[in-house]
Amino acid sequence: MLTQLAPAAGASGLQTGPPPSAVGAGYTTLVTAQTVMAAGSTVTGSANGATATVTVPTGTVPDGTVLVISAGAPGLLNAGPGLTVVADFSIALVDPTTGLKLNSYFNPPISVSISEPSIVPADSVVILFAPGQTTAVSDAQVTQGQAVVTFT
């Protein structure tokens, strides 16, 4: 199971595809791009039999932030030796002023819930930065059919 909080790029703030960092790691399909507000938002996207629900609490991001969910093909993503991808999503937040990666801490934290029937409690969540380059998300909560990650 993979998730990535990815930098985004583009001066307009309009997303017509996954951000370059997501594409470089293998997340080549735009699932959704939606504007979120400071009052809080929930954005959901589905791909490859899995669903990602991103909850942005009140006060976490400025009005007009674009939340981009991208996905790859689980069988084609290179997570490294010994890792099998069950579900994969890239989450990017685009600054409404610059069109670049939102450069801040997320307080309160952003929550990402990934639902997929074959997720089991023994699974782990990793962040895929580039093919074969991962970092474990040690505080991810994994239960039958679901993994939840928070980003600060």
Side-chain angles (χ1 to χ4, degrees), residues 9-16 33-35 64-68 94-100:
S12 68
L14 299 175
Q15 286 299 135
T16 57
Q34 295 183 27
T35 301
T65 297
V66 178
L67 191 150
V68 182
V94 180
D95 187 305
T97 305
T98 66
L100 301 173

Side-chain angles (χ1 to χ4, degrees), residues 24 28 87 105 113 119 124 138 141:
T28 56
Y105 292 100
S113 174
I119 295 173
S124 59
S138 60
Q141 298 172 352

Side-chain angles (χ1 to χ4, degrees), residues 61-152:
V61 299
D63 280 342
T65 297
V66 178
L67 191 150
V68 182
I69 301 175
S70 306
L76 299 177
L77 288 173
N78 175 5
L83 297 177
T84 300
V85 178
V86 174
D88 67 296
F89 289 100
S90 167
I91 311 300
L93 293 157
V94 180
D95 187 305
T97 305
T98 66
L100 301 173
K101 172 188 173 187
L102 189 61
N103 223 1
S104 66
Y105 292 100
F106 304 120
N107 186 16
I110 293 171
S111 172
V112 179
S113 174
I114 298 174
S115 299
E116 204 281 345
S118 64
I119 295 173
V120 297
D123 286 345
S124 59
V125 176
V126 298
I127 297 173
L128 178 66
F129 292 102
Q133 297 178 11
T134 61
T135 298
V137 180
S138 60
D139 62 348
Q141 298 172 352
V142 182
T143 58
Q144 184 62 47
Q146 185 178 38
V148 177
V149 179
T150 55
F151 294 98
T152 55

